[in-house]
Amino acid sequence: MGKTMSEKMLAKAAGVETASAGDILWVKVDKAMMDDILGPRVEIAEKLKEINDKVWDKEKVVIISDHYTPPANIKQAEIVKFTREWAGEHGIDNYYEFIGPCHQIMAEFGHVRPGAIVLGTDSHTCMGGALGAFATGVGSTEMLGVLVTGKTWLRVPETIKVEWNGRLPQGVMAKDISLKTIGAIGHAGATYKAVEYVGDTINDLHIDERMAITNMAVEMGAKVGLMVPDAKVVNYLAERGISDDYSIFTSDANAKYSETYTFSAEELTPVVACPHEVDNVTEIANVEGTAIHQAYLGSCTGGRYYDLAAAARILKGKKVAKGIRLLVSPASHEIWRRAVADGTLSILADAGAIVLAPSCGVCVGLHSGLLADGEVCISSTNRNFIGRMGSKNAGIYLGSPMAVAASAITGKITDPRKFI
């Protein structure tokens, strides 16, 4: 029987000849990422001090302050300060703050590479699978063990194959692919499994779009979301000065999958996830006309350059509806600069958008755009749980960046194809 990508990657990381789903392996970690919200907090720092107060490899540890930046109150400011100082005290040069959500920064700065084992204290670390890495989230306590030893144990996951073929129609985006897949598999349907995305639709997607899909694999309960690295990935890495020091893994033709799902991109229409579950997915036509108060374009799921540009095409020459807040947070400082340079941010601002700092603040409901009781938001982010973006009595619909832009114009949930 052949092997899947994840079986091959974990076998290599464990230094064994072969591995199969269900095996428990002690693997070497290539990169360990901590953010400010679940990173080197006081209790973790104290535990590390009790052991030896050193990390196993300073070059392999990355710390990113992104959730509490810019700080909205003294408590957040103190946490960012502690995170910054802890990184400095431990000689960790790979420290970043105020420049965007951790997963985007990990990719942009070359910390995610094909074949690598990447662990992060954030569940959406699985986004790294778009570059062919075995990237997954862990808790702070487990990360403490990684900091000391550079290793952790992982159970080799079963793999679900998700195949998308055909060309996406106009007005339909990778976010629609992601939501449609999650709706079919369910919020727990891929628990502790790898989800491998294949097919010519996936191959045709821009790297920005691929990241939007693997980012949300965890919304099905998946351990990782994986895509086979191709020339687009090689070029993406080369643009960042990376031309070697990585391994490309592919699944064998006769690899064993626990399940296989097949979809036709040509039949896909814009969809949304309705409150309060990510797998509560329906065609946008079924909820069209629902009044909104806020539209949000941003985060590690829907704030990349491709997303901003797609929204700008919808909004160019138009205005945000009276009384509607359209918030825009580019997914990184690099994306911000690019969108400024070609006028994308100006188009959004001219339409009435409020451009915010690159941050996780709005998505997690920590600062910069919380929802009040009874308010409704359509968002390009990854979760719509109760209280996720503010009040527990607010409602969040998840949609594509184009759907967010179209809805901001009308003041109600709107099919983006009406503006194409």
Side-chain angles (χ1 to χ4, degrees):
M1 182 64 68
K3 296 296 179 182
T4 63
M5 290 176 67
S6 58
E7 288 172 331
K8 292 179 180 180
M9 282 190 277
L10 291 179
K12 180 186 177 185
V16 297
E17 185 174 339
T18 186
S20 300
D23 291 349
I24 295 177
L25 302 177
W26 191 244
V27 302
K28 292 182 179 179
V29 176
D30 294 296
K31 279 291 165 76
M33 185 279 293
M34 293 185 288
D35 55 22
D36 50 359
I37 197 167
L38 288 172
R41 306 293 288 275
V42 174
E43 59 271 21
I44 298 300
E46 289 178 349
K47 284 290 184 184
L48 184 63
K49 228 176 240 188
E50 290 175 11
I51 303 169
N52 60 13
D53 207 24
K54 294 180 181 179
V55 298
W56 100 99
D57 189 330
K58 293 181 290 188
E59 295 302 313
K60 293 183 178 181
V61 177
V62 184
I63 302 178
I64 303 169
S65 290
D66 56 354
H67 285 64
Y68 294 136
T69 55
N73 53 51
I74 294 173
K75 182 178 179 180
Q76 291 182 6
E78 291 291 347
I79 290 172
V80 174
K81 177 176 179 284
F82 181 88
T83 305
R84 181 191 307 120
E85 292 177 349
W86 190 92
E89 290 168 2
H90 290 79
I92 297 169
D93 294 330
N94 297 320
Y95 174 74
Y96 310 91
E97 65 178 27
F98 289 84
I99 60 172
C102 53
H103 316 301
Q104 184 67 26
I105 302 310
M106 287 288 288
E108 286 184 359
F109 283 82
H111 297 301
V112 179
R113 304 185 183 192
I117 307 300
V118 180
L119 302 185
T121 56
D122 188 284
S123 59
H124 294 102
T125 299
C126 54
M127 191 186 93
L131 301 180
F134 190 98
T136 191
V138 297
S140 298
T141 303
E142 186 171 353
M143 182 57 75
L144 173 62
V146 173
L147 290 177
V148 174
T149 67
K151 297 179 179 181
T152 193
W153 68 267
L154 290 171
R155 178 162 59 85
V156 181
E158 295 179 287
T159 298
I160 296 174
K161 180 197 275 189
V162 173
E163 184 171 359
W164 280 88
N165 290 306
R167 183 178 294 275
L168 284 174
Q170 281 194 318
V172 182
M173 300 186 70
K175 182 64 172 289
D176 297 299
I177 289 177
S178 183
L179 291 175
K180 182 70 174 180
T181 303
I182 294 167
I185 295 177
H187 71 274
T191 299
Y192 212 105
K193 294 184 179 181
V195 176
E196 187 178 329
Y197 301 90
V198 301
D200 55 49
T201 308
I202 303 299
N203 297 337
D204 288 342
L205 294 176
H206 187 277
I207 295 296
D208 282 3
E209 295 179 284
R210 296 182 190 182
M211 288 179 176
I213 294 173
T214 56
N215 177 281
M216 294 186 69
V218 70
E219 307 309 334
M220 299 176 278
K223 190 70 173 172
V224 291
L226 293 169
M227 294 177 180
V228 175
D230 58 7
K232 292 179 182 178
V233 172
V234 171
N235 291 338
Y236 181 89
L237 295 171
E239 289 170 359
R240 285 151 180 79
I242 302 166
S243 58
D244 54 13
D245 193 27
Y246 59 80
S247 302
I248 293 177
F249 291 91
T250 62
S251 292
D252 295 326
N254 61 339
K256 181 181 179 181
Y257 296 96
S258 61
E259 299 134 271
T260 298
Y261 291 81
T262 303
F263 300 92
S264 170
E266 293 166 352
E267 297 174 2
L268 184 61
T269 61
V271 297
V272 293
C274 304
H276 297 284
E277 300 290 345
V278 183
D279 62 352
N280 187 14
V281 177
T282 187
E283 293 183 4
I284 200 168
N286 294 330
V287 294
E288 193 162 21
T290 301
I292 66 168
H293 302 85
Q294 179 168 298
Y296 178 53
L297 179 66
S299 88
C300 60
T301 310
R304 277 174 278 278
Y305 176 79
Y306 193 93
D307 304 315
L308 303 184
R313 290 195 296 272
I314 297 285
L315 284 159
K316 188 173 184 179
K318 301 178 182 65
K319 294 292 183 181
V320 172
K322 185 177 181 180
I324 302 301
R325 311 183 297 272
L326 171 59
L327 308 181
V328 177
S329 176
S332 74
H333 185 58
E334 178 183 311
I335 291 166
W336 176 294
R337 288 185 298 175
R338 182 179 175 187
V340 166
D342 70 1
T344 296
L345 280 189
S346 292
I347 292 172
L348 298 174
D350 289 345
I354 302 164
V355 183
L356 307 172
S359 172
C360 301
V362 179
C363 175
V364 193
L366 293 171
H367 55 80
S368 303
L370 276 66
L371 300 174
D373 279 7
E375 289 194 318
V376 173
C377 176
I378 183 168
S379 175
S380 67
T381 55
N382 46 42
R383 284 183 177 156
N384 61 348
F385 303 159
I386 293 175
R388 172 73 177 181
M389 297 176 71
S391 171
K392 292 182 179 180
N393 296 315
I396 306 166
Y397 290 81
L398 303 179
S400 76
M402 281 199 258
V404 170
S407 301
I409 294 169
T410 65
K412 52 193 176 184
I413 295 178
T414 301
D415 189 327
R417 295 175 297 181
K418 294 183 176 179
F419 290 93
I420 294 176

